[in-house]
Amino acid sequence: MNADFSTTLLKWYQEYGRDLPWRQTHDPYAIWLSEIILQQTQVKQGWDYWTRFMHRWSTVEALASATEDEVLREWQGLGYYSRARNLHFAAKQIVAMGHFPDTLEDIKKLKGVGDYTAAAIASFAFGIPAAVVDGNVYRVLARHFGIDTPINTTEGKKLFAAMAQELLPAGQSPSSVVLPPSSQYNQAIMDFGAIQCTPASPNCMFCPLIESCIAFRENRVAELPVKLKTLKVTERHLSYIYIKCNGETAIHRRGPGDIWQGLWEPLLVDEQQLSQFSHHYSLRLVKKGVKHVLTHRVLFADFYLLETTTKPTLPNDYVWILESDIDNYALPRLIEIMIEHITSKI
Ligand code: SF4
C-alpha cells in the first residue's frame, strides 16, 4: 500500500510536476537560496527574487563578500528580513567551512536552516534520503491516511516525520544528473499538495489516489489535517498596592472567570485609582514591570507600598488581616514573591 502511494505520486509528478529553475540544478547554493526565499514566500513571487539573487551573486563566495546592507536591499519587498540576514551570515559560514556542507547534520548547522530546509537541501542537492515535511506533506498524508493527530503537537510532528521517512522510496540514482527516487518523491508530494490536494479545494474527482484516500472515503477531507488552535498570548498590566497599617494588611479573593480564580491578592488598582491613592497617600514604588508568564498571558506587574496608620476605605470584598497571617492564604506565586520581597526590605 505504501509503495503504491509513493509510486502513484512519482507517476503523477512525471506528468504534472512544476518546472522550477532551482530543480534544474544540483548546485547546493542555488537550492539553498530557493529554499530560504520560499520559506515564507509564494513560488511566483520567490522566483523573481531567486533569479535576481542568482544573477547578482552567482556563487556563495560572491554572496558572502557582499555587505549585509546590499543583501537586505536586494531582499526588499520579501519581508521577514531575518531570512536575509541569516542567509548572508550562513554564506560566510559556508565559505569558512571551505565547501557547502553535504550531510544533513552539517546542513542544519547553517543559520536559518531548520529541519525542513535541511532535508530539502540534502535531498535535492545531494540525493540524501531525508524526508521533507512541510504544510503540503502534512495535508496529503493526513488526508490520504486519515490521520487526525494534530500536526502542531509534538506527537503529531513525530508521527508525520516518521511516516514521511518510511514512505520514501528506496533506490539509487541511475546517473549523476538524475535525482534518486527519494528526492523525486519529496518534490512530488510537495507539488501534489500544492496543485492537487490543496487546502481549500482539492481536486479529488481527478485524483490518482482517490481509491485509497481515507479522508475521501470517509468524507473527512475538509477536516484534515487537524491543527490545534493556538491561543494568542496577550499582555496584561497590573498595579498592586501592599498596605501596611499597624501590623495589618488588606487582601481580597479573586473571583471566577479570570486568572488566579480563588487566590488572594493585595489591593489591585486601575490607573485612575492609582492616581487617587498617589494623591492622598505617599506611595512607594517597590518594583516596576515584574514579568510573569502564564499559559496564554504575559503579566507585567507594578508593586507599590503604602505605609499608613489609618486604614483607607476599600471595596467591600477586601479584608484586613494580620501581616503575620498572610502565609495562611493561598497567593499566586507572583504575589507571594513580591510580598516576601516587600516585607524583607522593610
Ligand atoms: S482524494 Fe482528495 S483528499 Fe484524497 S489525496 Fe486526492 S485530492 Fe487529496
Side-chain angles (χ1 to χ4, degrees), residues 140 143-144 192 196-197 202-204 207-210 213 215-216 221:
V140 175
R143 285 176 175 170
H144 182 266
F192 188 80
Q196 181 86 28
C197 193
N203 187 3
C204 299
C207 175
L209 291 168
I210 192 168
C213 179
F216 183 79
V221 174

Side-chain angles (χ1 to χ4, degrees), residues 38-307:
L38 295 180
Q39 276 172 357
Q40 274 112 352
T41 303
Q42 298 290 319
V43 168
K44 206 164 158 246
Q45 189 194 11
W47 192 322
D48 255 13
Y49 279 82
W50 180 84
T51 308
R52 287 208 323 246
F53 265 75
M54 286 303 290
H55 185 70
R56 182 158 180 189
W57 299 296
S58 61
T59 62
V60 69
E61 289 79 11
L63 180 64
S65 59
T67 66
E68 189 180 277
D69 274 349
E70 286 170 331
V71 177
L72 288 173
R73 267 202 302 278
E74 202 64 69
W75 195 268
Q76 216 160 316
L78 267 184
Y80 299 97
Y81 285 85
S82 59
R83 286 185 292 166
R85 278 189 286 271
N86 289 344
L87 185 80
H88 186 234
F89 186 94
K92 291 183 173 178
Q93 277 183 293
I94 297 165
V95 170
M97 285 174 187
H99 66 96
F100 204 101
D102 54 6
T103 64
L104 194 57
E105 292 65 38
D106 284 348
I107 296 169
K108 276 189 202 169
K109 289 180 189 155
L110 298 178
K111 201 157 185 205
V113 172
D115 288 346
Y116 161 77
T117 307
I121 298 167
S123 173
F124 306 147
F126 302 107
I128 295 170
V132 296
V133 188
D134 71 347
N136 290 313
V137 176
Y138 278 125
R139 187 167 57 257
V140 175
L141 296 185
R143 285 176 175 170
H144 182 266
F145 295 100
I147 303 165
D148 56 11
T149 310
I151 59 172
N152 56 341
T153 57
T154 312
E155 191 197 350
K157 281 178 190 155
K158 269 195 197 153
L159 177 78
F160 282 96
M163 203 170 167
Q165 193 62 37
E166 202 183 298
L167 287 164
L168 277 189
Q172 302 294 315
S173 169
S175 78
S176 61
V177 288
V178 178
L179 285 171
S182 61
S183 308
Q184 291 185 35
Y185 165 84
N186 273 335
Q187 293 178 342
I189 190 166
M190 288 199 293
D191 278 11
F192 188 80
I195 297 168
Q196 181 86 28
C197 193
T198 57
S201 46
N203 187 3
C204 299
M205 284 306 143
F206 297 96
C207 175
L209 291 168
I210 192 168
E211 295 287 321
S212 51
C213 179
I214 294 179
F216 183 79
R217 194 185 315 146
E218 297 178 355
N219 202 15
R220 291 162 61 209
V221 174
E223 285 166 31
L224 296 172
V226 174
K227 200 169 181 186
L228 284 189
K229 282 203 174 66
T230 44
L231 288 175
K232 238 180 86 206
V233 174
T234 51
E235 284 189 4
R236 189 159 163 191
H237 295 260
L238 303 166
S239 297
Y240 286 104
I241 302 177
Y242 182 81
I243 307 172
K244 273 179 84 66
C245 181
N246 308 320
E248 289 185 74
T249 190
I251 56 173
H252 86 134
R253 192 170 196 165
R254 290 187 63 92
D258 199 357
I259 56 167
W260 297 335
Q261 184 179 333
L263 301 186
W264 296 81
E265 64 184 0
L267 178 61
L268 177 64
V269 287
D270 60 24
E271 234 171 275
Q272 195 188 359
Q273 292 163 330
L274 182 65
S275 95
Q276 284 167 354
F277 266 93
S278 318
H279 188 70
H280 289 99
Y281 297 94
S282 148
L283 288 185
R284 176 146 67 92
L285 178 63
V286 182
K287 277 267 181 196
K288 188 160 178 61
V290 181
K291 188 174 171 188
H292 189 72
V293 180
L294 301 174
T295 315
H296 299 300
R297 284 201 182 87
V298 180
L299 308 180
F300 293 94
D302 297 340
F303 288 85
Y304 295 86
L305 174 65
L306 164 57
E307 291 185 86

Side-chain angles (χ1 to χ4, degrees), residues 308-338:
T308 174
T309 48
T310 47
K311 286 180 179 170
T313 311
L314 300 177
N316 288 342
D317 60 330
Y318 280 81
V319 292
W320 288 93
I321 62 160
L322 285 174
E323 280 188 277
S324 51
D325 281 345
I326 192 100
D327 289 346
N328 298 331
Y329 294 83
L331 308 168
R333 184 70 190 127
L334 169 70
I335 303 294
E336 196 181 352
I337 294 168
M338 285 321 298

